[in-house]
Amino acid sequence: MLTDEFRSLLIQKAQDAWQRAYAPYSTYAVGAALLTDTGKIYDGVNIENAVYPLTVCAERVAVFKAVSEGERSFRAIAVVTRNGGTPCGACRQVLAEFGLDTVVLIADLQGNLLHELTVADLLPHAFGEADLDAARD
Ligand code: THU
C-alpha cells in the first residue's frame, strides 16, 4: 500500500524532474519518479533527438536508471505532464516487465493527482515471460 507521504513525494520528484525534460521538438515535457521496493527513488525525463525516433520517454529513463543500478522491484511511478497524459504503450510494456502491480500515479503540472492505476490496469493481457515459456512447450 502506497502511503500519502510517498504519493506526495513521488509527485513532487516528478514535478522537479519535469523541469529538466529535453523536449525541444514536441515541447511536451514529461517528468517521472519511480519508487523501488528498497525505498529509493529514480527520476526520469523525456529526452528527444533531432532524429525523432531516437527519443526516449521519461518513464523508460527512470526504469532504465533504476535497473542499471540493480533495482528490479518497483512500488510506484509518478508521471507528470502539463495535461495528465498517461504512459505510452512502449512504456507500459517496459513497466510490465518488472511487475503488473506497480502503482502508476498520473499528475498534472500543479501536482494534482488525476489517476491512480496499476500497470495491469494500463496494460491488460500483457505479454510477458510466461508467454515465452509457453511457446517453448
Ligand atoms: N512521452 C513520454 O516521455 N512519456 C510518455 O509516456 C508519452 C510520451 C514523450 C515522448 C516525446 O518526447 C513527447 O512526450 C511527445 O510524444
Side-chain angles (χ1 to χ4, degrees):
M1 188 55 198
L2 194 62
T3 61
D4 280 347
E5 210 175 340
F6 269 123
R7 221 175 250 120
S8 306
L9 183 62
L10 282 179
I11 292 172
Q12 182 61 60
K13 294 263 186 198
Q15 284 176 291
D16 294 347
W18 182 90
Q19 311 263 5
R20 301 189 296 275
Y22 178 70
Y25 305 107
S26 73
T27 74
Y28 190 78
V30 185
L34 179 68
L35 174 65
T36 70
D37 277 354
T38 57
K40 293 198 186 110
I41 295 176
Y42 292 87
D43 58 20
V45 299
N46 52 331
I47 304 171
E48 298 188 347
N49 193 282
V51 180
Y52 295 177
L54 300 185
T55 292
V56 184
C57 294
E59 298 90 325
R60 272 178 288 157
V61 170
V63 170
F64 294 161
K65 281 169 72 175
V67 173
S68 69
E69 294 298 322
E71 301 283 351
R72 294 181 183 175
S73 300
F74 306 124
R75 285 168 62 189
I77 184 168
V79 182
V80 163
T81 60
R82 61 183 176 226
N83 59 354
T86 60
C88 78
C91 289
R92 293 176 195 208
Q93 181 66 35
V94 167
L95 285 165
E97 179 70 22
F98 298 101
L100 294 169
D101 295 332
T102 304
V103 172
V104 182
L105 305 171
I106 306 294
D108 64 17
L109 265 192
Q110 290 70 44
N112 299 306
L113 178 60
L114 304 175
H115 305 284
E116 179 163 343
L117 305 154
T118 64
V119 171
D121 293 328
L122 287 169
L123 193 65
H125 306 286
F127 186 91
E129 191 186 2
D131 296 297
L132 293 175
D133 289 345
R136 275 190 212 114
D137 291 341

